[in-house]
Amino acid sequence: MILILTPNIDPDSHSYQQLMAHLSHLQDIRLRVHREQGTEQTLTEIYLIGNTSSIPVDEMKSLPGVERVVRVSEEYRVIGRHRDDHRPSHFDYQGLRFGQDTLHVFAGLCAVDTKEHVELMMQALRDHGQVCTRMGAYKPRTSAYSFQGHGRDCLPYVFELAGKYGIKVIAMEVTHESHIDEIHEALHGTGYPTGVMLQIGTRNTQNFELLKIVGRQQEYPVLLKRGFGITLTESLHAAEYLASEGNRKIIFGLRGVKTNMGDPHRNFLDFAHVPVVRRLTRMPVCIDPSHAVGSRTAGPENILDIMHATAQGVISGANMVLVDFHPAPNRALVDGPQALLLEELPHFLEDIQIAREAYEQRVALATRYHVSETA
Amino acid sequence: MILILTPNIDPDSHSYQQLMAHLSHLQDIRLRVHREQGTEQTLTEIYLIGNTSSIPVDEMKSLPGVERVVRVSEEYRVIGRHRDDHRPSHFDYQGLRFGQDTLHVFAGLCAVDTKEHVELMMQALRDHGQVCTRMGAYKPRTSAYSFQGHGRDCLPYVFELAGKYGIKVIAMEVTHESHIDEIHEALHGTGYPTGVMLQIGTRNTQNFELLKIVGRQQEYPVLLKRGFGITLTESLHAAEYLASEGNRKIIFGLRGVKTNMGDPHRNFLDFAHVPVVRRLTRMPVCIDPSHAVGSRTAGPENILDIMHATAQGVISGANMVLVDFHPAPNRALVDGPQALLLEELPHFLEDIQIAREAYEQRVALATRYHVSETA
Amino acid sequence: MILILTPNIDPDSHSYQQLMAHLSHLQDIRLRVHREQGTEQTLTEIYLIGNTSSIPVDEMKSLPGVERVVRVSEEYRVIGRHRDDHRPSHFDYQGLRFGQDTLHVFAGLCAVDTKEHVELMMQALRDHGQVCTRMGAYKPRTSAYSFQGHGRDCLPYVFELAGKYGIKVIAMEVTHESHIDEIHEALHGTGYPTGVMLQIGTRNTQNFELLKIVGRQQEYPVLLKRGFGITLTESLHAAEYLASEGNRKIIFGLRGVKTNMGDPHRNFLDFAHVPVVRRLTRMPVCIDPSHAVGSRTAGPENILDIMHATAQGVISGANMVLVDFHPAPNRALVDGPQALLLEELPHFLEDIQIAREAYEQRVALATRYHVSETA
Amino acid sequence: MILILTPNIDPDSHSYQQLMAHLSHLQDIRLRVHREQGTEQTLTEIYLIGNTSSIPVDEMKSLPGVERVVRVSEEYRVIGRHRDDHRPSHFDYQGLRFGQDTLHVFAGLCAVDTKEHVELMMQALRDHGQVCTRMGAYKPRTSAYSFQGHGRDCLPYVFELAGKYGIKVIAMEVTHESHIDEIHEALHGTGYPTGVMLQIGTRNTQNFELLKIVGRQQEYPVLLKRGFGITLTESLHAAEYLASEGNRKIIFGLRGVKTNMGDPHRNFLDFAHVPVVRRLTRMPVCIDPSHAVGSRTAGPENILDIMHATAQGVISGANMVLVDFHPAPNRALVDGPQALLLEELPHFLEDIQIAREAYEQRVALATRYHVSETA
């Protein structure tokens, strides 16, 4: 059960004190308070954890300072979309809004290799009006003997170049808690020229210790990728780990599932789950067509499978696209064969635009029919 | 290797006789001749089967009556799209064109239950300008004790009602060769008021005996569903079975794959394979969002998952949509919970129209970029 | 609900007539009578189909001619093992007993290729005391252009050689109803020198039309392979199709599941389901290690993976082993690479013997502990 | 390429110095030296990393101090079993030998809950001659709101009780590097009454940062569980991560794969991979029947599926069995429904004994046939 308090309630106020005193008498119920500092107001939510089935909603609603009560019917207490749940499905970061109602493209390098490539990439993004990118410094690789990313060494120049070309947010995978500190130091050392979205990769979706640590900080938003060998439910539980520790700025990423039933694609594309995640939770949904498809094959219309996959995700409401580009794919150290070319960027962006407009038309159509139906 | 002969070549002509005489001397090579009677011309193809790697293309090209030679690099000799392969990717039936460049919606009853429901369905289709439908008379069911369809008994009234409401093609699953005869008799008995597309369901994708029999007749086109537990390659080989027996009027149907990784959907949606099938073969591609999704859940925009899935398929080039509707889903004998309501038909059709237009815009965009690239 | 009548009850008797008269008055309940002619007695079972939940067991028990009543709690009415269900878990064919308490090895050729190879195989079996074999005349192949088996042409010499070498039962896949007639004719034509167990392969597990036809005849027992892309439950429902048509001589075959998670084996071995099938149903369970493993790789102890897989199945109670041998694997037309050599037959049989003895010791141990526990 | 040096070679010796000087001149080749301190001798291996294909084996063999050269044909450099590879397939810990030729049972609590239960468990083990156990202090759970283990707090009493009852090795999952320190401190604090085998669970199989840290220490051996949604190859690469950092005391654990094709078992049992891992690598192989099966269902012989699964693994050469027991399963905080009862311990151990003896007979049989074959 979640009690949503009146906005800007002061923890020192009498009503707040009274409320907490009352709640502390509930038997076998633990309390967890979450305070979200917005630009205009501070929201306070109190989570009642334990067997709350016998606690009447009405009684809770009548307590001082309580504005609304949400009975949590699903297991995703924090990230879930419950009955009569009007909690927001968006957050702000670096002046950008990330929500179930927005769309951002994060084109960039799968792995940082040279400073020159980073700069060419950033420049191309700037030239096409983009303010987000992906850049991998820490790369988890199946084999112990493969290139593992340049790590902390590349961070300063990556951040400085981002600042130079107006990039506001870089999605960057972390595989160990120390990476957050390293990112923090590098951002500090370079004067915060850009922002970072921490990415938890598919191999770490159930690395709960990492999730807890990333969830405890609230500075950086988190992109959590679905685990490639677990059910959607299990991956959503992993997102709840992040949220339960305090960080609500979470984007959920679909990237395909591991099974040869998806051949010839590298993974079995799961973008049909875009509307499912949007329905079950309040998280914006990201799609990663590059890793899902894994190659540059194209259909008879000269459209790459990666573009078709992207269009499929976007027309059903995807809010973020993570995609690999490279100025010279044959010299890329990681996943070169699936990278798009810089000269393909405008085509890719226009193709997305068509799909996004189609999505918006579909929403308008559905609204029209829904209104007439319920009128 | 395929020799494509000059159109309308006469098997009694001297050049044809010379050609065949020459070919008959090729060591360890079997010949298979396929003749396709079109509305304007007759095309003749000769398949050279065996180890053809040592046969020079140029020599074959110079033989009398040979217009073009296609070296088959892939295993899908007949259905495949080979290098320099300009064989058609469409066919005509009942005055309609089914091709990789067209789109047809087959909305209808999963299973025929009552004559009244059939008529209500047909009427709704006619009222919304539809000329195709799906109607199941023979239903393969997991349990021996479930309703197995009304079989031959319902065929006469189904066909007559189709004629009454201007329905030109009914997609209908067959699970035994005798069903083709029964359909044939019923069409004959009712004066051919409509046409039938024979559907091979996912449980029979590798029922090779049935494939061979269905492939040997050329009167009815065939919709072959992907096997839900086999790879795409294996399912395409099954389509080749049909084609190798003579019937080239084949549509390949995607309907999801069986694995709990697709939960909460009934199957794991595989519509990302739409462009793959279009690239590897010359078959039009059908999607079956009803069986893939399996429920009427809707996202926060009040759009059903079934509609999202449909839009995903159509925006990437799907050519046919097979979808369950029912006038009274709670009284349906098979798969009621996933059926759309008759009053949802216009919304569904308009939603598809948006996705189809987006697809066409995407093709135009790709063509523009491709032309400028190769210019 | 199943009524098991007193043995040898005469359908013309007064008590039988009374019973049937009474049952015919039950509302919305259909009756299905199954009569099993054994060597010593005739058993009669009456299946009450429909909503039987409101019919009291006691009332049914008190009806004339009724010996016992089994309330069917599971969906597998006929093949299932229900509470207080003492129906037999074995059948006899050609003087051999096939039951959950026996073990038979069916070593032989995956596909009949030459008469010479058939004879070499049969001779080796005779020399090592074997009276069962596998011999494929009809081979379903993924590609339309692969060898499809010699079909009816090879049947006469296969059966005659079987007779010559004392082989009593040949497991033989059928993929079309006409194959049963062909087998019947060939057995008749050669004077019934041997017997045949009809095998339904994994691609036809849900070819319900074939199941019904095979189920309707009671002359030949049936080996039904699990579907390689469906759940165990769905495959057991397929076995129920056979049984519901009248044939109860069914052996259920495990042969692995299709997924790359089983690599480097050709399929993912599912022999852990041996005890599950034995618990849920009364069918003897067959394992097919050759197709499951798919290669001749061996571990550090010089034991082939195929032998390890066999031992795993046998130590947990498998009742039949289907295994590919070939006198000259490199000349085999189908699945040569996985075939064992004739000279490996004694090793293979002794290895099985060790595992079977271990199984028997395990059963004795469990019985000892169970008795002391419930004493 | 691996150079295996003469045993006990002194790094200060002239020959060693000469060797290293020579190797340092190889172009684009990095060296990695691994020294293994055994009870009787010290083994030194030098790994040549880079493109070694042009380096002649003979030249390397002739270098001072080199006893043998192994050209690494597979990707598993350290853990792999290469051609002419006689490196050991066992290690010693706490006076016990863990090898591909031994078998140890680790029965115990899935999760430590109360001190009383720990003591009851240890006592039962001692009473039945067992010196190993499993005890979970850190439990990764799908839901953030489930019990996560007692953590460091329970370690002192667990270790002390182990010492009291003669338990030499406890398998214990760690999910964060800090857990190793905590275990270290608790062992130190209690005077090292027992030993610990660090377990990496299936959710962390590709948590490469954790693998590297666990691999860098050589005090505790490691049990690495297979990732439940990745291929076997990928999991073996994860084991190579551990080994490449220096720790060679690795046991590889099979515990089933996640897919509903394994229903009604909780996971799809993969014990057919026991001989595969033994063939591809030099690691002993552990099976975890409790988590794989996930329930206490029993077959008609009153043998639990968990016991059948165990027998399957052991008869094909498994070297370790990890199994859940509990004195009061209905009061267990984690995985109670799958736990065996303390009174079932003797039956379980005797059942394993039967399967182990069968395995040994099978090895003797194979050796006999192999000798006669190659004689």
Side-chain angles (χ1 to χ4, degrees), chain C residues 3-9 16 33-47 67-68 86-88 90 248 282:
Chain C
L3 312 188
I4 291 141
L5 307 194
T6 47
N8 299 319
I9 191 168
Y16 187 86
V33 178
H34 180 72
R35 205 162 279 121
E36 188 103 26
Q37 186 84 42
T39 43
E40 290 172 15
Q41 54 184 18
T42 297
L43 291 176
T44 306
E45 297 167 5
I46 302 181
Y47 288 74
E67 186 174 273
R68 214 147 37 76
H86 304 293
R87 291 176 298 164
H90 69 267
R248 307 291 167 87
R282 298 173 295 118

Side-chain angles (χ1 to χ4, degrees), chain A residues 81 100 226 229-232 257 260-265 268-273 275-276 278-279 297-303 305 307-308 311-312 315-316 346-347 350-351 354-355 358-359 361-363 365-366 368-370, chain B residues 81 100 226 229-232 257 260-265 268-273 275-276 278-279 297-303 305 307-308 311-312 315-316 346-347 350-351 354-355 358-359 361-363 365-366 368-370:
Chain A
R81 190 183 271 281
Q100 287 196 345
R226 174 190 189 152
I230 54 177
T231 62
L232 183 64
V257 162
N260 59 341
M261 291 296 140
D263 291 349
H265 290 154
F268 199 131
L269 269 85
D270 54 354
F271 299 172
H273 279 157
V276 176
R278 290 165 54 88
R279 169 174 75 243
T297 46
E301 320 92 333
N302 292 307
I303 301 177
D305 282 10
M307 290 192 191
H308 278 304
Q312 291 191 345
I315 201 174
S316 50
H347 181 186
E350 285 177 64
D351 197 59
I354 293 171
Y359 168 69
Q361 287 171 47
R362 295 181 63 225
V363 171
L365 180 73
R368 213 165 65 230
Y369 272 103
H370 188 64
Chain B
R81 190 183 272 280
Q100 287 197 344
R226 175 190 189 153
I230 55 177
T231 63
L232 184 63
V257 161
N260 59 339
M261 291 297 139
D263 291 349
H265 289 154
F268 199 132
L269 270 84
D270 54 354
F271 298 172
H273 280 157
V276 176
R278 289 166 53 88
R279 170 174 75 245
T297 48
E301 319 92 334
N302 293 308
I303 300 176
D305 281 11
M307 290 193 190
H308 279 303
Q312 291 192 345
I315 201 174
S316 51
H347 181 186
E350 284 176 63
D351 197 60
I354 293 170
Y359 168 69
Q361 288 172 48
R362 296 181 63 226
V363 171
L365 180 73
R368 211 164 68 229
Y369 272 103
H370 188 65

Side-chain angles (χ1 to χ4, degrees), chain A residues 306-327:
Chain A
I306 290 176
M307 290 192 191
H308 278 304
T310 304
Q312 291 191 345
V314 171
I315 201 174
S316 50
N319 307 108
M320 175 171 163
V321 179
L322 201 68
V323 61
D324 289 0
F325 272 78
H326 201 282

